[in-house]
Amino acid sequence: MRHRKSGRKLKRTASHRRATLNALATALLRHKRIHTTVAKAKETRMVVEKMITRAKNARKADASAAKVGASSERAKKFIEAGGHARREVARFIKDRAVVAELFDVIAERVANRPGGYTRILKLGQRYGDAAEMAVIELVDFNAGQEPVAKKADKPAKKSAPKKKAPKKAKGDAAKAEATAPAEATAPAAQ
């Protein structure tokens, strides 16, 4: 029995599970939307939401520290960079560009949202092994969903009914087939 043991093992060792979740979190923050299994999506959601909250709180702390004012130049740089929070997130996200995007773009966009930064949409079963598939995406980013342009209402053109070719009688078709091979072989014989 696994009472009071949260999280899914995902049939992996601890280090492999951590690496998988770090890779999924990096991909989600980079692309804003990824396809994966439902179990991995639910685990990734826990990891990503904690990172986004940390970035959002660091951004909030930067704003309040800027109002108060730091005493030394070094302290100002540390506060402006969100130093400690960035290092904590960088333990999991190895791509510096993704960390910068998290703290600059994503944290700014979700600043007023009190949580629930991700959405999981179930897709059904995968063809090969019938695993439940899902899409996990960041709520405030509609990546890959371009607005559908509505077609302008134009009056439909009425086309004239197409004329059918006249049918040949069975006797005419048989005569045409009989003469065609004779004509085709006659020039080759000359």
Side-chain angles (χ1 to χ4, degrees):
M1 288 185 281
R2 297 186 69 234
H3 295 305
R4 298 179 56 109
K5 294 184 180 174
S6 64
R8 294 163 185 82
K9 289 191 174 183
L10 302 175
K11 296 185 178 181
R12 288 165 167 77
T13 62
S15 60
H16 188 190
R17 184 171 50 250
R18 193 174 319 118
T20 300
L21 293 176
N22 291 347
L24 286 169
T26 302
L28 179 60
L29 293 173
R30 179 181 295 129
H31 301 294
K32 314 299 186 272
R33 177 185 179 115
I34 58 172
H35 295 263
T36 184
T37 61
V38 173
K40 288 178 192 169
K42 288 180 179 180
E43 285 298 305
T44 303
R45 175 176 51 187
M46 293 193 305
V47 172
V48 169
E49 294 214 359
K50 288 176 184 175
M51 288 182 194
I52 293 174
T53 301
R54 185 176 290 274
K56 188 176 81 166
N57 291 341
R59 189 171 183 78
K60 199 183 308 181
D62 289 349
S64 64
K67 290 178 185 176
V68 173
S71 59
S72 69
E73 190 66 31
R74 183 176 176 192
K76 285 181 186 178
K77 287 182 181 178
F78 183 79
I79 290 172
E80 289 172 2
H84 182 65
R86 282 184 188 259
R87 281 196 304 274
E88 288 292 316
V89 169
R91 288 175 52 206
F92 304 105
I93 306 296
K94 303 300 182 193
D95 190 349
R96 288 185 180 188
V98 174
V99 173
E101 185 177 4
L102 171 63
F103 278 82
D104 298 337
V105 179
I106 297 172
E108 180 180 346
R109 188 149 323 166
V110 300
N112 297 326
R113 183 177 288 277
Y117 311 114
T118 58
R119 173 187 303 130
I120 296 176
L121 303 170
K122 294 184 180 180
L123 298 176
Q125 294 180 331
R126 184 165 51 198
Y127 177 69
D129 59 356
E132 285 291 327
M133 297 301 291
V135 170
I136 181 170
E137 62 185 3
L138 296 179
V139 173
D140 293 325
F141 294 85
N142 291 330
Q145 295 180 359
E146 298 172 1
V148 178
K150 294 183 179 180
K151 294 181 180 178
D153 293 333
K154 293 182 181 178
K157 294 182 180 179
K158 293 185 178 180
S159 60
K162 294 182 180 180
K163 295 181 180 178
K164 294 183 180 179
K167 292 185 178 180
K168 294 182 181 179
K170 288 186 179 179
D172 294 340
K175 288 180 186 176
E177 289 177 13
T179 57
E183 291 173 1
T185 55
Q190 291 174 352

